[in-house]
């Protein structure tokens, strides 16, 4: 009997050793096929641009396996977010997250995806938002815009993805800061995606907007839009004469800003987390990534902060404003 038990133990140990070797080999092999990177907003917007920049750069460090961007839009970015949160946690379906992944659950108590329903792989970039008018507008400064809004009795218009999207909160936070009703002082005209929002301003269909820099910088550089203010911790290097909301003393607007992160489904294996930590570490110093970020007016923040703690703080910021503005009773 003892010999039989000893033999069985030896077989079990051999199986365990073989399994460990296979697991290690699988860990070393990841990724073995293309990785899908979901951008939850439309083509041409900040999410799409950041996703394609990451895919292009990260593919240099995935052992020859491509990172393929897929746009899954709708419901304030939640369609794409839910798709990823419900995917197999195998590392082959990832999310290019934006501030909406924290903002939407902060505003809607019935959000289909919670802010923390992911494995947080890392923060990628800080994306300034720019408040701009058409270059043909008579408005030259932020003070002139605010004066026009106050005199218009709600007749001024701005383009945004929706009242509770980040580009809605950029304007509403500013209106609240100057003592106006954030929901009625100016009229929101909805459009889908950064390129459509920019086109609305270019076409003279709205008076102003405040959206991601990546969607506006080409038009500003072409002289077709006039930037009045930026939503970022410090002035943009490409717009050194344009003041920030923070330096102008706008308490709420000064805390608003865009960002990108990399998320995966919950339960991602540690070896895959480690692999993406390694990949992102290389991306952080890659000139291609840094150049593409600069062209979008963004700043790389890979490795600068704990992603879970940062996203939680963003959730709390917008949840507080949602309650103040009356979106949550």
């Amino acid at each position: 009997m003892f010999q039989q038990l000893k033999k069985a133990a030896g077989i079990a140990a051999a199986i365990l050793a073989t399994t460990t070797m296979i697991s290690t080999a699988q860990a070393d092999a990841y990724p073995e096929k293309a990785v899908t990177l979901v951008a939850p907003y439309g083509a041409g917007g900040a999410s799409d641009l950041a996703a394609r920049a990451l895919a292009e750069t990260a593919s240099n460090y995935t052992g020859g396996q491509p990172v393929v961007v897929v746009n899954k839009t709708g419901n304030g970015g939640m369609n794409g977010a839910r798709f990823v949160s419900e995917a197999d946690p195998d590392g082959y379906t990832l999310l290019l997250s934006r501030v909406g992944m924290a903002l939407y659950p902060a505003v809607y108590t019935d959000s289909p995806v919670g802010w923390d329903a992911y494995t947080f792989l890392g923060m990628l970039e800080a994306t300034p938002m720019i408040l701009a008018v058409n270059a043909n507008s008579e408005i030259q400064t932020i003070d002139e815009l605010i004066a026009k809004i106050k005199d218009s009795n709600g007749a001024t218009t701005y383009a945004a993805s929706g009242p509770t999207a980040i580009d809605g909160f950029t304007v509403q936070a500013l209106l609240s800061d100057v003592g106006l009703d954030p929901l009625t002082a100016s009229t929101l005209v909805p459009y889908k995606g950064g390129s459509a929002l920019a086109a609305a301003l270019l076409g003279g269909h709205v008076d102003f907007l405040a959206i991601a820099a990546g969607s506006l910088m080409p038009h500003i550089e072409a002289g077709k839009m006039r930037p009045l203010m930026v939503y970022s911790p410090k002035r943009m290097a490409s717009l050194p004469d344009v003041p920030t909301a923070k330096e102008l003393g706008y308490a709420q607007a000064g805390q608003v800003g865009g960002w990108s992160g990399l998320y995966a489904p919950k339960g991602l294996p540690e070896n895959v987390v480690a692999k993406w930590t390694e990949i992102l570490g290389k991306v952080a110093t890659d000139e291609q990534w840094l150049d593409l970020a600069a062209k979008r007016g963004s700043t790389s923040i890979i490795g600068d902060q704990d992603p879970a703690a940062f996203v939680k703080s963003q959730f709390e910021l917008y949840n507080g404003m949602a309650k103040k503005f009356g979106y949550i009773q």
Side-chain angles (χ1 to χ4, degrees):
M1 176 65 73
F2 176 76
Q3 291 298 326
Q4 289 177 331
L5 289 174
K6 184 177 180 181
K7 182 178 180 180
I11 292 172
I15 291 173
L16 178 60
T18 301
T19 302
T20 300
M21 290 173 63
I22 292 172
S23 297
T24 301
Q26 288 174 336
D28 293 339
Y30 174 86
E32 296 181 293
K33 59 181 181 179
V35 175
T36 295
L37 179 60
V38 174
Y41 301 99
S47 167
D48 181 66
L49 295 171
R52 294 183 189 282
L54 178 63
E56 187 176 343
T57 311
S59 292
N60 297 324
Y61 308 109
T62 53
Q65 298 296 344
V67 179
V68 180
V69 176
V70 175
N71 296 88
K72 290 188 177 294
T73 66
N75 195 23
M78 287 297 106
N79 286 353
R82 182 169 60 180
F83 178 84
V84 173
S85 70
E86 295 176 351
D88 291 335
D90 55 10
Y92 291 102
T93 305
L94 306 178
L95 177 69
L96 192 292
S97 67
R98 291 289 295 171
V99 62
M101 274 72 265
L103 192 156
Y104 195 102
V107 175
Y108 296 103
T109 56
D110 60 348
S111 172
V113 189
W115 72 267
D116 57 350
Y118 314 92
T119 296
F120 298 103
L121 295 176
M123 303 311 300
L124 298 173
E125 63 175 6
T127 309
M129 315 291 282
I130 301 176
L131 190 152
V133 296
N134 191 297
N136 296 324
S137 171
E138 74 280 4
I139 296 170
Q140 300 290 326
T141 67
I142 187 68
D143 288 339
E144 290 180 8
L145 175 62
I146 292 170
K148 179 174 180 176
I149 292 171
K150 288 181 176 179
D151 292 341
S152 74
N153 194 30
T156 57
T157 58
Y158 68 98
S161 303
T164 55
I166 181 62
D167 44 32
F169 270 100
T170 51
V171 174
Q172 293 168 39
L174 174 63
L175 296 175
S176 177
D177 281 333
V178 297
L180 296 173
D181 187 320
L183 307 188
T184 64
S186 190
T187 301
L188 185 155
V189 182
Y191 293 87
K192 293 183 178 180
S195 57
L197 291 165
L201 185 62
L202 289 171
H205 305 301
V206 294
D207 295 309
F208 69 103
L209 46 59
I211 68 173
S215 297
L216 296 186
M217 281 306 298
H219 307 296
I220 292 171
E221 291 168 349
K224 297 179 179 179
M225 292 184 184
R226 179 181 303 121
L228 304 181
M229 184 178 77
V230 297
Y231 297 73
S232 63
K234 58 183 179 181
R235 293 194 183 198
M236 293 175 59
S238 55
L239 298 173
D241 298 326
V242 180
T244 69
K246 184 177 181 180
E247 71 182 84
L248 291 172
Y250 300 129
Q252 293 171 118
Q255 300 179 70
V256 174
W259 47 262
S260 299
L262 185 64
Y263 294 0
K266 268 191 178 298
L268 197 68
E270 285 301 318
N271 68 285
V272 180
V273 173
K275 182 63 176 180
W276 274 102
T277 299
E278 175 190 329
I279 291 171
L280 290 179
K282 293 176 179 178
V283 169
T285 58
D286 191 297
E287 288 300 323
Q288 181 182 34
W289 165 255
L290 296 173
D291 181 59
L292 289 171
K295 287 180 178 177
R296 297 191 307 279
S298 299
T299 302
S300 178
I301 57 172
I302 296 174
D304 288 355
Q305 52 201 318
D306 176 74
F310 173 76
V311 176
K312 181 181 180 182
S313 71
Q314 286 285 284
F315 168 82
E316 292 172 346
L317 169 67
Y318 293 107
N319 185 247
M321 281 199 284
K323 291 175 180 176
K324 181 178 180 178
F325 297 170
Y327 291 119
I328 298 177
Q329 300 301 323

